[in-house]
Amino acid sequence: MSDRLFIFDTTLRDGEQVPGCQLNTVEKIQVAKALEQLGVDVIEAGFPVSSPGDFKSVVEISKAVTWPTICALTRAVEKDIDVAAEALKFAKRGRIHTGIGTSDSHIKYKFNSTREEIIERAIAATKYAKKYVEDVEFYCEDAGRTDNEYLARVVEAVIKAGATVVNIPDTTGYCLPDEYGAKIKYLMEHVDGVHNAILSTHCHNDLGMATANTVQGVLNGARQVEVTVNGIGERAGNTSLEEVAMVFKSHKERDIITNITTNKIYSTSRMVSSLMNMPVQPNKAIVGRNAFAHSSGIHQDGVLKNAQTYEIIDPKDVGIDDNAIVLTARSGRAALKHRLHVLGVDLEQEKLDKVYDEFLKLADRKKDINDDDVLMLVGKDRTATHRIKLEYLQVTSGVGVQSVASICLNLSGVRKYEAAAGNGPVDAGIKAVKKAISNSDMTIQEFLIQAINKGSDDTGKVHMQVEYNGATYYGFSANTDIIAASVEAFVEGDEANAQKVVEHDDVVDDLFNDMKKEMMQAIREQNLDADRVVDYLMMAKYLEKVGDHAVNIAQWAIFRMTGDMEGVKLY
């Protein structure tokens, strides 16, 4: 009888923590639906207490998907768990994922605590989460560097407290496969009641062994694996969903099965890569561009005679179809709609019409349209609501002449025209943008240009990392004109900075409005706190909101604090 291995996908939580890979709620729902079609068992949708955006994403994903369990991450803190439970109220099957660091390093330096106190906190957090949901997962952060005897005590304690899954993360990617496998085996053999819960792996790729460690964990008793699409994740990434799924599909003798519909792997990989603006390395196992390519003459001869001589996986098993419909300028909406459906994207008719119009424009400039081009077009309208848009770009460049760029930026509805000379066309375009937004201090830290496929008419992807005032922002663009793509990516980096400023001001506005209500209520009750009044006046000054409310509160505050009506008049 085969053993069932549960797939816990954390692309939308751990994967989205990668700088520059943040998704909006609509994009997260799109990925979540694709993961549901792929067959993942658990979707970790976010860390609700960390931000309103993460909270909203967990709520909306809970509404959008049907059968996968929706999981919300927390710390071993009651407020975190309260917020997670609220975010999961629409989930058909909800899980709270709580936990705490268990290595001596974490206990001493992160928590300034003791082993016994950590066990007490672990038990308390598990019991508290159990009040809200039946399905509680507990993570032992940095379990990879936790000694096995103490780790077994923690695991046993949380299982007795009600944990249904216990996560054993190699948080730093430090373990070797034999060490990690032995750790899982030790827990299976030494934890009383271990069969009342599922042990889960969660491996990072810092030493390039995330998948190997995960497989060893499974072979030694773990029955849940925590993975991400394309192995995306902090630092060097996480275990790749596609690699684990295909390892056990290829090794049927292990009698371990997953619920993954493997022929949807490639399309899901491409969708995540496109939405997160994170290229898949060409030699990436399973989903890389070269994963099934053969250049050696000996290999080519063998494959032509029998594919199994050098290919252990049929490309069609992961959704790569050499006979796919080729899209050109003569392709109709039906062909485009079909290709999008294959890629896991279903659009409303109005959105399909817009994408089709953009498709025709691209097809006029490029002979054949591939899957990455199609996904790029789907995501193109995300710039429609941006406050900074590049409407016009003209560049003069060549050998022996000075490069000059002229641009028109739409700044929240106001058009601004600028021109600048530079050391090449890209430099000239970026300098013109800096002049238009009156910001010469934004500097480029990283600039990556990548062709989507091949050919001089190909669409080029540009990823840009820019820095301003100590903060880092990310820009992305794709265009058949690589100069335009470069300038657009820089503009998107500026937009990210502008959006952060707007979000900050929105938060401050909300705080001010809440405080104003509080102050007016205090006036009515003739009960003002002096320190709170000062806070309010400082915020009013910051926002330049010195209208009647601010004046009235200031006058009343002076009178209440000094009893001096003259002071009120002076104010």
Side-chain angles (χ1 to χ4, degrees), residues 158-213:
V158 297
I159 290 175
K160 287 180 179 177
T164 51
V165 180
V166 183
N167 178 10
I168 312 299
D170 181 22
T171 305
T172 59
Y174 176 77
C175 287
L176 296 173
D178 62 331
E179 293 173 336
Y180 189 76
K183 188 176 290 285
I184 299 296
K185 184 178 181 181
Y186 182 91
L187 296 174
M188 293 296 295
E189 292 175 349
H190 292 84
V191 172
D192 185 27
V194 70
H195 296 291
N196 295 325
I198 294 172
L199 292 188
S200 177
T201 68
H202 182 114
C203 299
H204 284 261
N205 206 37
D206 298 71
L207 294 177
M209 290 182 285
T211 297
N213 284 341

Side-chain angles (χ1 to χ4, degrees), residues 420-444:
N423 184 21
V426 172
D427 184 47
I430 288 173
K431 283 181 176 176
V433 172
K434 287 182 175 181
K435 287 176 67 176
I437 62 174
S438 303
N439 184 353
S440 60
D441 296 329
M442 186 167 277
T443 57
I444 298 173

Side-chain angles (χ1 to χ4, degrees), residues 285-315:
I286 314 301
V287 293
R289 189 174 67 237
N290 298 340
F292 300 99
H294 303 275
S295 61
S296 163
I298 296 174
H299 286 209
Q300 289 175 341
D301 178 63
V303 169
L304 289 171
K305 289 176 179 175
N306 187 323
Q308 292 183 355
T309 55
Y310 285 103
E311 286 187 357
I312 60 170
I313 300 170
D314 184 340

